[in-house]
Amino acid sequence: MIEQIYVGIDQDKNEGLTHLGRIVRDAWVFGILPESETCTGWSGAQMQSLYEKVYAAWEPYAHLPSRLPDELRERHAQLYAQAIASAKEKGWDTELDEDD
């Protein structure tokens, strides 16, 4: 069995607007990782550990950006707005298809 290695948020499809990319981006929001950390080459175990830390950071806010304190909510909005704008510029289609 071949171990899955994460390509890194900067190489992930749709500007990292994927499940793993959102984990990395949320880790940036909460200060778990510096924004310079893209997680390139991280193993599944490393990504799982990061997921658990991000999940725990979200728990006090019921996993809802609207419940974040102002500073974190603004940081979340900024990071995601940048990613969405960049993905759209590169042709990302936000419409769901039958596989979504």
Side-chain angles (χ1 to χ4, degrees):
M1 180 179 238
I2 298 174
E3 182 177 8
Q4 295 289 323
I5 301 295
Y6 183 54
V7 297
I9 195 167
D10 57 333
Q11 298 298 312
D12 204 344
K13 67 179 186 174
N14 300 325
E15 298 300 299
L17 294 171
T18 63
H19 176 70
L20 293 176
R22 289 190 312 267
I23 292 168
V24 175
R25 191 166 280 108
D26 288 353
W28 295 345
V29 169
F30 289 107
I32 296 167
L33 293 175
E35 286 185 48
S36 60
E37 178 58 70
T38 64
C39 300
T40 300
W42 281 32
S43 69
Q46 288 173 296
M47 293 303 290
Q48 178 64 36
S49 177
L50 181 60
Y51 167 78
E52 291 168 7
K53 291 174 185 174
V54 168
Y55 186 91
W58 270 113
E59 279 189 326
Y61 311 107
H63 301 267
L64 297 170
S66 62
R67 290 196 172 178
L68 291 171
D70 290 344
E71 182 179 329
L72 290 177
R73 188 172 55 249
E74 290 169 13
R75 184 166 166 75
H76 180 276
Q78 177 187 20
L79 287 170
Y80 277 85
Q82 288 171 346
I84 290 167
S86 183
K88 284 182 177 181
E89 285 176 15
K90 293 178 180 178
W92 179 48
D93 183 3
T94 59
E95 292 295 318
L96 296 178
D97 61 24
E98 292 179 11
D99 295 330
D100 292 328

